[in-house]
Amino acid sequence: MSWIVSLPCTRPEAEALSGEIPELDALVEAPVVVTREIDEDAGLWQLDAYMDDKPGAALLKLLQSFVPSAKGQTPVVAELPEEDWVTLSQQGLEPVQAGRFFVHTSSYADRVPAGTTPFLIDASQAFGTGGHDTTAGCLAMLDQLARQGASPRNIADIGTGTGLLAFAAMALWPRAKTIASDIDPASIFVTRDNAAINGVPLGRGGGGLGLAVAPGTDHPSIKHRAPYDLVIANILAGPLITLAPDIAAATAPGGHAILAGLIARQMEPVLAAYRAQGFRLAVRGGSAEWPCLLLIKRRRYGWRRKERAFHRASPSDASFGSW
């Protein structure tokens, strides 16, 4: 038998639980935590935690700590029948459409809209099902970049999670060489499985996806392939700032970087770190609370001198900002 623990929560609390949860990662048998909106008109949200064994007092206390708004409320603990509780947990994951992309779980496999590029990404140990604003913002930014005429030949997805953003980039630029990395080995296993499910070829050459377990860009395969025309990093503000020199070193002059995983008040510190490395902000996308930043690495020539273009910028160039 399996068990479910339910608690009411707010939308900000639900969004905060969409990414990595270190307190759960430290557990030997971590529950699967899913948040969902149960009443759109009333703005009511709920946390559901699925696990194999009956939860003890310590786990219940930990789950309650994630939702301060439910302080004083008793968690609802229920025993589930012998069913696939991972599938049950996915019933709260609505499909996401961002740009041309439609990201869904198995529950929605028969409801893919015509004209979209679909990806089947089930809930797993890795972050990045598309449901969070950061991932959806990156998908929309990739789509916008392609519509503006960008054609990167060498792409790196740093902190890939489920592999979704790397898959989306490969759908947009199928001839590009792409590598996806994550510090968590489980994420790379999940990415490999998702690649098979979605028909994404693995390999080192153009049109194939290379995989690497690595902290940031610190892996021989990532360094060997550099510099990149496009670097995607949907992680957290702290690691983004720490990795700014490494991401700058891995990005070709004139190349793009898509950064996400930060909240609005963290945008300026992140931008400051990347401006110091020669990047400029081209587009600020994403949601109000979860920005997605498109940066361009300035071209340089000579000794520490910025390269200035001698031609007039086209209208499409202007849409990416100026400096």
Side-chain angles (χ1 to χ4, degrees):
M1 304 295 283
S2 301
W3 295 80
I4 179 173
V5 177
S6 299
L7 280 163
C9 66
T10 65
R11 178 172 179 173
E13 289 168 344
E15 290 179 339
L17 292 169
S18 297
E20 297 179 357
I21 309 175
E23 297 88 344
L24 293 182
D25 292 340
L27 300 178
V28 176
E29 295 292 338
V32 173
V33 173
V34 176
T35 56
R36 57 194 176 96
E37 190 173 25
I38 58 175
D39 189 330
E40 184 175 358
D41 294 334
L44 299 178
W45 287 69
Q46 181 170 299
L47 175 154
D48 293 322
Y50 296 83
M51 59 212 72
D52 288 321
D53 300 316
K54 185 177 181 178
L59 180 55
L60 292 176
K61 184 178 180 180
L62 176 61
L63 293 172
Q64 284 182 300
S65 71
F66 298 147
V67 286
S69 65
K71 184 178 180 180
Q73 299 199 38
T74 302
V76 177
V77 181
E79 193 173 17
L80 296 173
E82 289 291 347
E83 296 185 69
D84 183 351
W85 57 270
V86 172
T87 299
L88 290 174
S89 73
Q90 293 167 4
Q91 291 177 355
L93 294 177
E94 296 292 327
V96 172
Q97 188 158 356
R100 72 191 70 189
F101 301 110
F102 183 79
V103 187
H104 62 93
T105 64
S106 300
S107 302
Y108 292 86
D110 58 346
R111 285 174 267 182
V112 175
T116 62
T117 301
F119 291 109
L120 194 165
I121 306 289
D122 279 328
S124 66
Q125 299 175 32
F127 172 64
T129 59
H132 194 275
D133 281 357
T134 59
T135 312
C138 289
L139 290 170
M141 189 67 77
L142 285 167
D143 183 70
Q144 179 180 351
L145 192 59
R147 294 182 190 280
Q148 292 286 350
S151 55
R153 299 179 180 178
N154 198 15
I155 301 169
D157 179 15
I158 307 300
T160 192
T162 60
L164 173 59
L165 297 180
F167 301 165
M170 294 177 69
L172 294 170
W173 301 288
R175 296 184 180 180
K177 292 175 61 178
T178 305
I179 189 168
S181 71
D182 203 284
I183 194 171
D184 185 0
S187 173
I188 298 304
F189 284 113
V190 169
T191 296
R192 183 180 290 114
D193 290 343
N194 284 335
I197 291 168
N198 289 279
V200 176
L202 301 180
R204 298 181 179 181
L209 176 63
L211 300 175
V213 177
T217 62
D218 189 14
H219 191 279
S221 294
I222 299 173
K223 293 179 178 180
H224 177 73
R225 291 183 179 221
Y228 297 92
D229 307 308
L230 173 61
V231 176
I232 308 162
N234 180 22
I235 40 180
L236 297 170
L240 282 175
I241 292 172
T242 301
L243 288 172
D246 294 337
I247 288 178
T251 306
H256 294 88
I258 294 176
L259 309 181
L262 58 148
I263 58 178
R265 61 180 173 82
Q266 297 168 330
M267 186 173 75
E268 286 307 320
V270 170
L271 280 175
Y274 282 81
R275 284 176 175 137
Q277 300 297 325
F279 285 91
R280 65 178 176 88
L281 176 64
V283 176
R284 193 274 196 202
S287 66
E289 181 64 19
W290 297 94
C292 179
L293 309 177
L294 177 66
L295 309 182
I296 297 178
K297 186 177 178 181
R298 301 178 190 272
R299 296 183 181 275
R300 297 175 183 270
Y301 71 94
W303 175 245
R304 297 182 180 175
R305 295 179 64 187
K306 300 180 181 66
E307 179 185 23
R308 300 285 183 171
F310 291 100
H311 61 83
R312 298 178 64 87
S314 68
S316 60
D317 294 331
S319 67
F320 286 116
S322 58
W323 56 278

